Amino acid sequence: MSMSEQQYYDALEARDPAAREHALLAALPGQIAHAQRAAPAFAELLSGVEPASVDSRAALAKLPVTRKHELLARQQARRADDPFGGFSAIAWGLRGRGARKVFQSPGTIYEPEGSGADYWRVARALHAAGFRAGDLAHNSFSYHLTPAGSMMETGALALGCTVFPGGVGNTELQLQALQELRPEGYVGTPSFLKILVDKAAELGHKLSINKALVSGEAFPPSLRDWLAERGIAGYQCYATADVGLIAYETAARAGLVLDEGVIVEIVRPGTGEPVPEGEVGELVVTSLNPDYPLIRFGTGDLSAVLPGACPSGRTNTRIKGWMGRADQSAKVRGMFVHAGQVAEIVRRFPEAGRARLVVEGEMAQDRMTLKLELAGTAPAGLADKVAAAIRDITKLRGEVVFVAPGTLPNDGRVIEDARRYD
């Protein structure tokens, strides 16, 4: 497939994979040093880390993962002097400079928006979805509190599009604007697009929209095909309020291609340990954004790397997309059991493979069974040692069942709550 300006957003998308990996890893030590210098939280979290030594994925994997609940806790602890909890290199007023906007996500977590063009790097996803300079983009993401509306708008403006800031709700007014302005593209949730299309059909109108970039919720193939039957080519992207664009869909419809401005790892839930390619785990992102230099940020979302290259010709790694939540826990006999505790149990036994803690029974009569993949016959006494580790780490009793490698589903689930609540 020939390289062209229309096909790709820029030449980075078609880079030799080895050249991309070299460039990302070459940028890593500088970003580590910058985070230590400009973001007090990382000065503490990465204390003693020599930036020059973090020049490989193996070295990166040794650094701690910062998960959303930890980010929130640090923000809450420093509300009075730093709403960003020491993670941001930009702010406003006496705290610093450079923040153009500040957003509030559920939790409550605050995120900065810097002044750089296409700050959230969404233009790449819009381009892959068919948006071009001169298009009118109807933006139905929220412009209030959360950054979704701004994420899409700044990307569209960087691409040369004009934006109608529809926001959420006001369906009748948005339909009026759609009929009178006749935009080519839509950005927003897929469910609201369906509402707009259905409502327009009820009124005897056909929308002018022929392309859409959707996010914020599941985009099943059935809805994608439903839109296509009505002349709308819908594509999805995966982005968060913390790191911006992470991955985006292409015309190949073969997974989501990673953005060029992030380093992504898939780790075993509850740990920072990368899993083999193809295994489902938690998405951990290192952002190369100097304004908000998140290092090994645990998104809490599950995904897996897809093998091979994207048929679109883009050479970056592909992921399957959102596959559920990684921050799993269950309350058993009044005690919370977390994915990290299951990981700690497994870590004590090098011969063990994947694990799954199954909680069964009826309320107040819970029983836990740890299913553990093990190659060959279990050594004598191993089950008792694992059971002792369960008691030591969770303070609860549990049974142990060994299964053959590959027996447990590759779905990223570490804790399965199979109790009956009826």
Side-chain angles (χ1 to χ4, degrees):
M1 191 176 286
S2 63
M3 172 70 183
S4 72
E5 186 179 354
Q6 285 298 302
Q7 185 180 347
Y8 304 126
Y9 178 65
D10 58 25
L12 296 178
E13 294 179 7
R15 277 186 291 181
D16 175 75
R20 175 185 292 105
E21 185 74 354
H22 176 78
L24 290 174
L25 294 178
L28 192 51
Q31 185 71 335
I32 298 289
H34 173 66
Q36 290 173 322
R37 182 175 59 251
F42 282 113
E44 181 183 336
L45 290 166
L46 303 179
S47 176
V49 173
E50 174 54 49
S53 69
V54 189
D55 59 355
S56 67
R57 286 186 178 266
L60 179 63
K62 293 178 182 177
L63 302 183
V65 173
T66 298
R67 293 187 165 85
K68 197 176 282 281
H69 67 88
E70 296 168 290
L71 188 153
L72 173 59
R74 284 180 177 267
Q75 285 199 0
Q76 289 174 331
R78 297 192 58 182
R79 284 281 194 253
D81 67 304
D82 184 354
F84 299 125
F87 287 99
S88 176
I90 59 174
W92 68 92
L94 296 177
R95 303 179 184 90
R97 303 179 68 178
R100 180 170 59 184
K101 296 178 183 177
V102 56
F103 293 100
Q104 181 195 81
S105 290
T108 301
I109 294 177
Y110 293 101
E111 300 99 2
E113 177 181 286
S115 58
D118 192 23
Y119 175 82
W120 308 92
R121 307 181 313 282
V122 173
R124 187 179 305 283
L126 286 162
H127 186 276
F131 287 75
R132 295 293 183 268
D135 284 342
L136 175 60
H138 185 106
N139 186 3
S140 284
F141 274 117
S142 174
Y143 275 77
H144 301 110
L145 297 179
T146 64
S150 189
M151 292 169 80
M152 292 295 175
E153 177 171 296
T154 52
L157 294 177
L159 202 57
C161 299
T162 298
V163 177
F164 176 79
V168 296
N170 298 307
T171 305
E172 288 75 17
L173 287 175
Q174 294 212 43
L175 271 174
Q176 182 180 352
L178 285 165
Q179 291 159 18
E180 296 177 350
L181 297 178
R182 302 190 59 77
E184 291 85 2
Y186 164 94
V187 290
T189 63
S191 60
F192 190 60
L193 177 56
K194 185 177 188 303
I195 288 171
L196 291 171
V197 172
D198 278 337
K199 191 68 175 177
E202 283 179 26
L203 298 173
H205 301 295
K206 185 180 186 305
L207 298 182
S208 57
I209 293 169
N210 55 55
K211 68 196 74 168
L213 180 65
V214 299
S215 193
E217 60 190 28
F219 185 43
S222 57
L223 180 52
R224 179 196 67 198
D225 295 343
W226 185 89
L227 290 170
E229 290 167 4
R230 287 151 183 82
I232 302 173
Y235 295 86
Q236 61 183 312
C237 72
Y238 171 47
T240 75
D242 316 282
V243 294
L245 182 68
I246 296 173
Y248 60 98
E249 192 174 18
T250 75
R253 305 286 189 186
L256 305 183
V257 177
L258 293 183
D259 179 53
E260 300 292 331
V262 291
I263 299 173
V264 171
E265 304 167 271
I266 307 288
V267 308
R268 203 170 304 285
T271 77
E273 303 162 6
V275 300
E277 182 177 299
E279 187 169 325
V280 177
E282 180 185 9
L283 267 161
V284 169
V285 183
T286 294
S287 169
L288 298 179
N289 175 5
D291 292 345
Y292 200 39
L294 294 178
I295 309 298
R296 296 205 89 200
F297 178 72
T299 63
D301 292 327
L302 293 173
S303 194
V305 169
L306 285 170
C310 181
S312 72
R314 292 172 178 82
T315 57
N316 209 342
T317 302
R318 294 176 301 149
I319 59 174
K320 287 187 176 180
W322 188 82
M323 299 178 68
R325 293 293 293 169
D327 44 0
Q328 304 156 30
S329 65
K331 196 170 188 179
V332 183
R333 297 194 289 277
M335 301 277 286
F336 275 105
V337 181
H338 300 279
Q341 293 175 303
V342 178
E344 179 59 32
I345 294 166
V346 176
R347 197 176 289 117
R348 295 188 180 186
F349 304 95
E351 61 268 56
R354 285 190 301 192
R356 194 181 190 101
L357 186 70
V358 181
V359 185
E360 298 172 290
E362 299 178 7
M363 293 302 290
Q365 296 183 355
D366 305 326
R367 62 180 184 275
M368 298 195 315
T369 302
L370 183 66
K371 296 183 178 180
L372 207 57
E373 291 188 351
L374 194 71
T377 304
L382 181 60
D384 291 337
K385 291 178 182 177
V386 175
I390 294 173
R391 286 196 305 274
D392 181 36
I393 292 171
T394 69
K395 313 306 179 190
L396 296 163
R397 293 183 180 277
E399 297 183 14
V400 179
V401 173
F402 297 115
V403 298
T407 301
L408 298 178
N410 180 25
D411 58 5
R413 293 282 298 278
V414 175
I415 297 176
E416 178 185 348
D417 192 340
R419 288 173 290 192
R420 291 172 51 196
Y421 293 94
D422 52 4

